[in-house]
Amino acid sequence: MALDGSIQEHNSDATHQLLTMCTHSYFDLTHVSPVVFLYLLKECYVRGKCKATMKFRSLQQTVHQVLYNSPRPGPAIFVARCLLVLPIFEVHCEGFSHLIISALRRFLKTETTKEDLLAAKSLAAQLFLNIVVGMGHDERVLIKILEVYDVKLEDVANVICNSDVKDGNDLSAAKEFIEQYIFKLVESKSYLTAVTLLEHFCIRQSGESFLLKMMEHKEYIAAEKWAAFIGKPMLCVLVQQYIDRSMLKNAHNVIRKNSLKDEFPEAYHKGKESSIKKFAEKGLWDIAEERTNNNKQHLEYLVYLAMEAGYFEKVEELCERHSLEGFANVEELQASLPKRSFFDLNELALDGIKWVDDVSGLRDATCHIEGCKVIGIDCEWKPVYEKGKQPKVSIIQIASEKMVHILDLIKLFEDVPEVLDSCLTRIFRSSKVLKLGYNFQCDAKQLARSYESLECFKHYEMLLDIQNLFNEPRGGLSGLTKKVLGAELNKTRRNSDWEQRPLTPNQLEYAALDAIVLIHIFAHFRGHSPLEWKAHIGLVKVHHVDKAVKHMESA
């Protein structure tokens, strides 16, 4: 045991010394050769203890930084020389190639010298030739080398002139050499690489048959890239191929991106309707309306979608806002459509829905809720369509058997945050009140993220997630409601603007139903399985919201 401990201590010391040496070498690359640099990089990778992805990102950042530390004769040449010798590192060759090229790409956005990059082009062209004849790197590295170093046909011709690859010293020889390689890529069905090379070197000899071959092999990304490079006639062929294959979404995207609406009006129209329908089916009515671009035909289509969904207040809203005629008698239209069985709030004989946005109402609501044995909890927030932006919870609904309190969290947090925190803490941490939720972990995280300074949203006792009582809760809460209670929830208002004030009567009804239906599902389940549900009651704690994620985002 003592010997094992001694060996481990020795290995630890050796690792520390190596990492120290690496750090020192990276600090000044003036006298560090590419081979030594890559060896140290390999050792750092091998001896690193975190996951491979994290090690890769860390080393990529390191390489990017050390390119500022005077590599000789310049960063671009230094990286090119590293790429030339990387094949001797075998198993690490592919990963390190992508790593150092990515680091150089970042570096060149801010720092470079014309002389360094110009001299590096010949090395990059030599790398290109090496890869073409099967020496070292794969196709993906080849494309990155061409892009980062901006290798042109002239650079390849200059290298060929001084090599044994092919006799000749003009552009035609280089072009013929590249075309032969592209032909091999096509034979091996590496269409995207082939198209990228054709585009990069401005070679336009292939035609419609090449496009059809890519379509046959379902290489749609390569086909679109090729068609865009060739121009409008080839793009029209591509669109027609998509139409013939009933791929209207793909056809619409190409039409839209390349301004081919006049050439394919019917396909554009159908694709537009498909896009509008997709958002409407997800309840994203605002986006669907925006996608119409105020086109009357598309707006009328959206109105019909709202009618089919049973969302008749949206029908009225659209007709009024856009002065649409022919939809005036909504009641007749409603009667003519197939009936859908929605859970109706009026059938529950509620004492009322109370909107809570001041301290007096908050305290009254708290007293009422603390006297209940079972409550249902849900919350709503305005949908966010901007990537990376987090939504803020707008309201929280707390339902008892006869009453639903809807708390305006935005206003209460702004006016009386301490009282809000105190009242909700009393409710959520009470061991006397059973709290029902549906997929409540999601709601709890959103609440804690939206109101980080409040303690009330970080700890819930006596919580029962209704979702856990059923093995296959298909269709979300609406599907579960239909399965247990015989009628589904109308989810058409789910993605409405929950930050507008006042909320519409339909929004209030929707919000109230989402909370109170939990009590009715639980009552039904409890009557059939009096003991099983007790095993699912638990404690939920939401820790300081995703600190690790936030740290990574800030970094």
Side-chain angles (χ1 to χ4, degrees):
M1 290 294 291
L3 181 59
D4 289 343
S6 177
I7 292 173
Q8 289 177 2
E9 184 177 349
H10 174 76
N11 289 339
S12 177
D13 288 343
T15 301
H16 177 72
Q17 290 174 7
L18 176 66
L19 293 176
T20 302
M21 181 179 69
C22 290
T23 303
H24 177 73
S25 299
Y26 288 163
F27 183 75
D28 182 3
L29 293 181
T30 307
H31 302 293
V32 177
S33 70
V35 173
V36 172
F37 176 80
L38 292 171
Y39 174 78
L40 295 175
L41 195 65
K42 184 199 78 169
E43 291 300 306
C44 285
Y45 181 82
V46 170
R47 295 174 187 271
K49 295 183 179 179
C50 55
K51 291 183 179 179
T53 304
M54 292 299 295
K55 284 196 287 187
F56 184 90
R57 289 176 180 171
S58 177
L59 287 176
Q60 185 184 51
Q61 177 64 20
T62 299
V63 174
H64 172 241
Q65 292 299 323
V66 301
L67 289 178
Y68 292 90
N69 297 340
S70 305
R72 292 289 181 257
I77 296 176
F78 185 81
V79 169
R81 288 176 175 173
C82 286
L83 291 168
L84 282 168
V85 300
L86 251 173
I88 68 174
F89 287 84
E90 297 179 341
V91 70
H92 299 287
C93 176
E94 181 179 351
F96 283 5
S97 298
H98 292 290
L99 188 153
I100 61 176
I101 293 176
S102 299
L104 179 63
R105 188 197 301 270
R106 286 180 60 193
F107 176 84
L108 291 177
K109 289 179 179 178
T110 57
E111 298 284 339
T112 188
T113 62
K114 186 179 292 187
E115 295 77 13
D116 174 40
L117 199 54
L118 191 63
K121 277 182 180 253
S122 61
L123 287 175
Q126 182 62 59
L127 273 166
F128 171 77
L129 291 177
N130 289 355
I131 297 170
V132 168
V133 298
M135 294 171 57
H137 304 281
D138 64 12
E139 295 169 7
R140 292 180 303 159
V141 175
L142 178 145
I143 297 301
K144 285 187 177 182
I145 290 170
L146 293 179
E147 291 174 347
V148 172
Y149 286 97
D150 192 28
V151 176
K152 301 297 185 184
L153 196 61
E154 295 84 352
D155 303 310
V156 178
N158 290 335
V159 175
I160 289 177
C161 179
N162 298 312
S163 70
D164 297 327
V165 175
K166 185 174 179 66
D167 295 331
N169 59 357
D170 57 9
L171 294 180
S172 60
K175 185 177 178 182
E176 183 182 348
F177 178 76
I178 293 169
E179 285 175 344
Q180 289 176 359
Y181 178 61
I182 291 172
F183 181 74
K184 292 179 182 178
L185 290 172
V186 173
E187 283 189 327
S188 64
K189 298 183 176 61
S190 296
Y191 293 110
L192 189 56
T193 303
V195 167
T196 303
L197 289 177
L198 287 166
E199 184 179 12
H200 183 84
F201 290 110
C202 296
I203 300 173
R204 297 174 178 267
Q205 290 184 358
S206 298
E208 187 174 323
S209 60
F210 182 45
L211 179 75
L212 296 178
K213 186 177 292 187
M214 287 187 280
M215 296 294 287
E216 288 171 9
H217 289 92
K218 299 181 179 180
E219 293 284 343
Y220 302 125
I221 295 175
E224 290 185 18
K225 187 177 177 69
W226 166 250
F229 170 60
I230 295 299
K232 188 173 182 178
M234 196 65 71
L235 284 166
C236 289
V237 173
L238 174 66
V239 171
Q240 191 59 54
Q241 286 294 316
Y242 277 141
I243 293 172
D244 294 344
R245 289 169 166 77
S246 298
M247 299 173 68
L248 290 181
K249 181 179 178 181
N250 299 64
H252 178 260
N253 287 338
V254 175
I255 292 169
R256 180 176 54 82
K257 289 178 183 177
N258 298 280
S259 302
L260 299 174
K261 180 180 176 181
D262 293 339
E263 284 75 12
F264 299 94
E266 186 177 351
Y268 176 79
H269 175 70
K270 287 182 179 179
K272 192 73 172 180
E273 286 191 346
S274 176
S275 173
I276 293 168
K277 185 177 182 180
K278 178 184 70 174
F279 289 110
E281 287 176 341
K282 293 180 179 179
L284 302 173
W285 295 94
D286 292 343
I287 296 183
E289 184 178 351
E290 186 181 312
R291 290 298 173 99
T292 65
N293 294 324
N294 292 318
N295 179 282
K296 184 179 179 182
Q297 187 178 8
H298 295 149
L299 283 166
E300 289 178 348
Y301 178 69
L302 182 60
V303 169
Y304 279 112
L305 292 176
M307 288 164 54
E308 288 179 355
Y311 196 178
F312 288 97
E313 63 268 25
K314 177 59 72 174
V315 172
E316 293 177 349
E317 178 188 327
L318 289 168
C319 289
E320 181 179 348
R321 181 159 54 241
H322 298 283
S323 302
L324 298 176
E325 298 177 357
F327 300 97
N329 196 338
V330 175
E331 291 183 1
E332 285 185 16
L333 293 169
Q334 187 173 356
S336 67
L337 291 170
K339 296 290 183 183
R340 292 180 68 182
S341 179
F342 289 125
F343 204 76
D344 191 350
L345 193 67
N346 295 323
E347 297 175 3
L348 300 181
L350 285 179
D351 291 338
I353 301 173
K354 289 193 175 181
W355 177 255
V356 181
D357 65 356
D358 59 29
V359 67
S360 175
L362 178 58
R363 285 178 173 144
D364 289 345
T366 304
C367 290
H368 171 84
I369 294 166
E370 283 186 306
C372 301
K373 292 183 178 179
V374 181
I375 60 172
I377 306 172
D378 190 44
C379 57
E380 307 293 342
W381 53 84
K382 180 181 178 179
V384 172
Y385 309 122
E386 186 178 338
K387 187 176 181 181
K389 189 174 181 181
Q390 293 290 344
K392 183 172 185 177
V393 178
S394 176
I395 61 171
I396 187 167
Q397 310 96 272
I398 304 178
S400 62
E401 190 174 351
K402 292 292 184 180
M403 177 71 68
V404 182
H405 290 89
I406 301 180
L407 280 60
D408 184 350
L409 289 179
I410 293 176
K411 189 171 187 300
L412 291 169
F413 179 71
E414 183 179 332
D415 295 347
V416 287
E418 295 84 3
V419 180
L420 176 65
D421 201 9
S422 174
C423 289
L424 291 184
T425 297
R426 282 161 53 187
I427 295 170
F428 295 152
R429 298 192 185 181
S430 171
S431 59
K432 297 179 181 179
V433 182
L434 177 61
K435 290 158 278 288
L436 308 174
Y438 184 88
N439 189 21
F440 193 73
Q441 285 283 358
C442 175
D443 288 350
K445 288 180 180 178
Q446 291 290 5
L447 285 164
R449 184 182 285 114
S450 299
Y451 302 96
E452 290 185 65
S453 62
L454 300 186
E455 293 297 318
C456 59
F457 297 129
K458 298 174 183 176
H459 189 134
Y460 303 84
E461 293 186 18
M462 283 289 287
L463 178 72
L464 174 61
D465 195 324
I466 293 293
Q467 187 181 39
N468 296 333
L469 300 181
F470 299 88
N471 293 326
E472 295 184 13
R474 295 180 181 177
L477 181 57
S478 179
L480 184 58
T481 304
K482 185 175 183 180
K483 178 180 179 181
V484 177
L485 304 177
E488 60 185 311
L489 296 174
N490 190 338
K491 306 299 286 186
T492 53
R493 302 165 190 88
R494 174 182 57 193
N495 290 311
S496 57
D497 184 358
W498 293 101
E499 292 183 6
Q500 69 176 355
R501 297 293 182 268
L503 295 180
T504 67
N506 286 308
Q507 283 180 305
L508 293 173
E509 178 183 337
Y510 170 91
L513 271 171
D514 261 14
I516 201 166
V517 76
L518 298 171
I519 296 176
H520 289 267
I521 293 173
F522 172 68
H524 183 275
F525 188 86
R526 181 173 56 181
H528 288 77
S529 305
L531 295 177
E532 185 179 344
W533 58 270
K534 292 184 178 180
H536 293 279
I537 296 176
L539 172 75
V540 171
K541 286 187 178 182
V542 183
H543 299 288
H544 298 289
V545 189
D546 301 335
K547 272 191 173 180
V549 174
K550 286 192 171 184
H551 175 72
M552 288 177 65
E553 288 176 351
S554 63

